[in-house]
Amino acid sequence: MGIYDRDYIHSDYRGPGTPQMRLMLPRMTPAVKWLLIINIAVFVPAYLIPALDNFLTVWFSVYPSTLLRALQPWRLISYQFLHAGVMHVLFNMLILYFFGPLLERLWGTRRFAVFYLVCGAMGGLVYPLLVLSNVLRPLPLIGASGAIFGMLAAGAVLFPGLRVFFMGIFPMSLRTLAILLAVLSLLKFAGDHNRGGEAAHLAGMAAGIAYVLG
């Protein structure tokens, strides 16, 4: 999704001598490392064994097909570690890898881990409410995208001028990237495309911004 240069964490940074852009891979931090490990450890066997994938989806996704399922609290966390395919998990884990360490070093491991899971849980809370309000149909909701989008939104508030590369190609500020992703999610939601997932994205972003500004 993007690569950040830690020298550009401050938007007004000016290095000594001739300005240079140094693309650097982030150093792994504890919470990010374990989140990556858990996500991949869950995804690989589920991807290879369809029966296991079906079992995990039925019991651990956010799946408000009945009121009982909608009220099962573990789903708000467990759904964040399930993914629909290789590109789904790859997209989320790349963003976590590149941007997670930035926030974890700022806040510390425990605070970052709580923040990440809460942003994801907010997406899991909003989706059943939309289903119960007859706005959406009850389908399984899976993926870490709510947490990922919350992380990006928080980063955009804290480090708006941080230079990133959208799709690894197009340079822009982190604030611009967050706005672009929010607009895309709104358009997809309005266009009836993956509406549950897009609602989770937007809820995660709202939670991330509220956390930083609150």
Side-chain angles (χ1 to χ4, degrees), residues 1-181:
M1 181 67 179
I3 299 175
Y4 66 81
D5 181 341
R6 284 190 291 273
D7 286 343
Y8 297 131
I9 288 177
H10 301 290
S11 59
D12 60 349
Y13 173 83
R14 296 293 184 274
T18 303
Q20 298 181 13
M21 178 176 289
R22 296 180 291 119
L23 299 180
M24 301 172 62
L25 296 178
R27 289 174 297 171
M28 192 74 71
T29 48
V32 169
K33 179 183 73 175
W34 281 106
L35 287 168
L36 289 169
I37 289 172
I38 295 170
N39 274 280
I40 294 170
V42 171
F43 174 76
V44 171
Y47 182 74
L48 296 175
I49 307 171
L52 176 61
D53 182 55
N54 182 66
F55 172 81
L56 293 175
T57 299
V58 169
W59 287 101
F60 296 99
S61 66
V62 172
Y63 191 12
S65 58
T66 66
L67 182 59
L68 177 60
R69 282 181 172 174
L71 295 176
Q72 292 171 336
W74 70 82
R75 295 177 182 270
L76 298 178
I77 301 299
S78 60
Y79 95 99
Q80 301 179 44
F81 297 95
L82 306 177
H83 289 86
V86 173
M87 294 308 298
H88 190 200
V89 70
L90 180 63
F91 177 86
N92 283 337
M93 295 304 100
L94 279 175
I95 300 177
L96 174 61
Y97 171 73
F98 282 115
F99 294 100
L102 185 66
L103 294 178
E104 186 173 349
R105 290 196 184 95
L106 177 67
W107 291 334
T109 295
R110 183 183 297 273
R111 184 179 174 190
F112 170 76
V114 171
F115 164 82
Y116 177 93
L117 294 174
V118 167
C119 285
M122 286 302 299
L125 280 172
V126 167
Y127 176 60
L129 292 177
L130 293 174
V131 171
L132 294 173
S133 302
N134 294 318
V135 176
L136 299 177
R137 293 181 294 114
L139 297 170
L141 177 68
I142 59 175
S145 299
I148 296 298
F149 274 61
M151 188 179 64
L152 285 175
V157 174
L158 292 168
F159 312 110
L162 180 66
R163 194 168 183 79
V164 300
F165 292 85
F166 179 54
M167 300 179 68
I169 301 174
F170 305 105
M172 61 183 65
S173 69
L174 183 53
R175 176 171 52 193
T176 300
L177 175 61
I179 293 171
L180 175 61
L181 292 176

